[in-house]
Amino acid sequence: GAGRTEAMRAIIGADKLQKGTVYLRGKAIVNHDPHQAMLSGIVMVPEDRKTQGILGNLDVADNITISLLDKHSNRFGVLDTSEEATIAQKGIEEFKIRTPSPHKKILELSGGNQQKCIVARWMATNPKVLILDEPTKGIDIGAKAEFYAMICAFAKQGIGVILVSSEMSEVLGLSDRIIVMRARKISGELTATDATEDKVLALAMAEE
């Protein structure tokens, strides 16, 4: 009920923006749908992996390359399958996706590896901003550690990472700037150097 996910969905155009303006590198932009947001350079890994992230009827390779269909097809709609195979293999190797084959059904992978496929899909678009909504939800401790390392690596590459998380350790351990939401409004903002668990909780429970 805090409104965090709804705010992120509005940024990428999945939900209608009621008010406010989205700025990317100082320029106001309007995203009417997630595809337009992707073209602008903003992508999102959703919280609900099973219903909004993976394409369960497709294999690992197709799940990674699905966002690049326009780029990898000619004007007649014919796909360059060799290019797709190269992108898929690169994603598998770069994000250490544990799968016996690119053609393994994604539903047969662990939750952490499914999540890596979604991240690989959006990173293949060379985004300027990556929104991660509860990226470690439902995955094991080992996979969480890999995701934490990935998030830091993305930031070092100059990608703007917006991490939505309800886990205090993630918020305090990974953030440069923390924005706390309550009842669909921003209740406060903290820098990483000033943030403590008590301060974050106080903002999360603050009265309107």
Side-chain angles (χ1 to χ4, degrees), residues 130-182:
L130 175 66
I131 301 172
L132 299 168
D133 192 356
E134 298 283 3
T136 61
K137 182 178 180 180
I139 64 177
D140 62 40
I141 296 296
K144 283 187 177 184
E146 288 184 272
F147 269 91
Y148 298 156
M150 270 195 282
I151 290 168
C152 293
F154 295 153
K156 287 178 181 178
Q157 292 169 26
I159 298 169
V161 181
I162 301 177
L163 171 66
V164 178
S165 178
S166 53
E167 291 199 26
M168 188 67 71
S169 59
E170 291 183 354
V171 171
L172 295 176
L174 295 170
S175 304
D176 295 310
R177 182 163 58 112
I178 299 169
I179 295 174
V180 184
M181 293 187 68
R182 182 183 183 278

Side-chain angles (χ1 to χ4, degrees), residues 1-8 164-166 178-189 199-208:
R4 304 170 309 171
T5 294
E6 290 82 357
M8 298 302 104
V164 178
S165 178
S166 53
I178 299 169
I179 295 174
V180 184
M181 293 187 68
R182 182 183 183 278
R184 297 175 179 263
K185 293 181 180 179
I186 293 174
S187 59
E189 182 178 329
K199 287 181 180 180
V200 173
L201 288 173
L203 289 173
M205 296 185 291
E207 295 296 329
E208 293 185 41

Side-chain angles (χ1 to χ4, degrees), residues 5-6 11-12 20 23 47 57 62-63 66 80 83 90-92 96 100 104 111 116 123 141-142 152 157 159 202:
T5 294
E6 290 82 357
I11 288 173
I12 65 166
Y23 289 92
E47 176 182 7
N57 60 323
D62 287 339
N63 267 274
I66 193 74
D80 184 340
E83 179 66 17
K90 180 182 177 183
I92 290 169
K96 299 185 171 93
K104 183 83 167 176
K116 288 179 185 178
M123 289 303 294
I141 296 296
C152 293
Q157 292 169 26
I159 298 169

Side-chain angles (χ1 to χ4, degrees), residues 23-154:
Y23 289 92
L24 180 60
R25 294 182 175 177
K27 181 181 177 182
I29 62 171
V30 178
N31 295 319
H32 296 291
D33 54 54
H35 185 259
Q36 188 172 2
M38 181 189 77
L39 296 178
S40 298
I42 306 176
V43 295
M44 177 176 172
V45 176
E47 176 182 7
D48 194 335
R49 177 175 63 250
K50 290 184 178 179
T51 62
Q52 297 178 351
I54 64 170
L55 299 164
N57 60 323
L58 299 180
D59 62 22
V60 170
D62 287 339
N63 267 274
I64 292 174
T65 60
I66 193 74
S67 62
L68 300 172
L69 287 179
D70 291 348
K71 184 178 179 181
H72 294 155
S73 59
N74 62 24
R75 61 194 181 95
F76 301 110
V78 178
L79 290 172
D80 184 340
T81 54
S82 62
E83 179 66 17
E84 283 200 318
T86 300
I87 294 294
Q89 190 60 39
K90 180 182 177 183
I92 290 169
E93 293 174 2
E94 184 174 349
F95 295 100
K96 299 185 171 93
I97 299 168
R98 295 177 181 86
T99 177
S101 164
H103 304 297
K104 183 83 167 176
K105 287 289 185 184
I106 194 169
L107 282 176
E108 297 175 13
L109 303 187
S110 68
N113 284 296
Q114 290 178 9
Q115 192 78 319
K116 288 179 185 178
C117 288
I118 302 169
V119 173
R121 174 197 305 164
W122 294 122
M123 289 303 294
T125 68
N126 296 314
K128 299 180 182 75
V129 177
L130 175 66
I131 301 172
L132 299 168
D133 192 356
E134 298 283 3
T136 61
K137 182 178 180 180
I139 64 177
D140 62 40
I141 296 296
K144 283 187 177 184
E146 288 184 272
F147 269 91
Y148 298 156
M150 270 195 282
I151 290 168
C152 293
F154 295 153

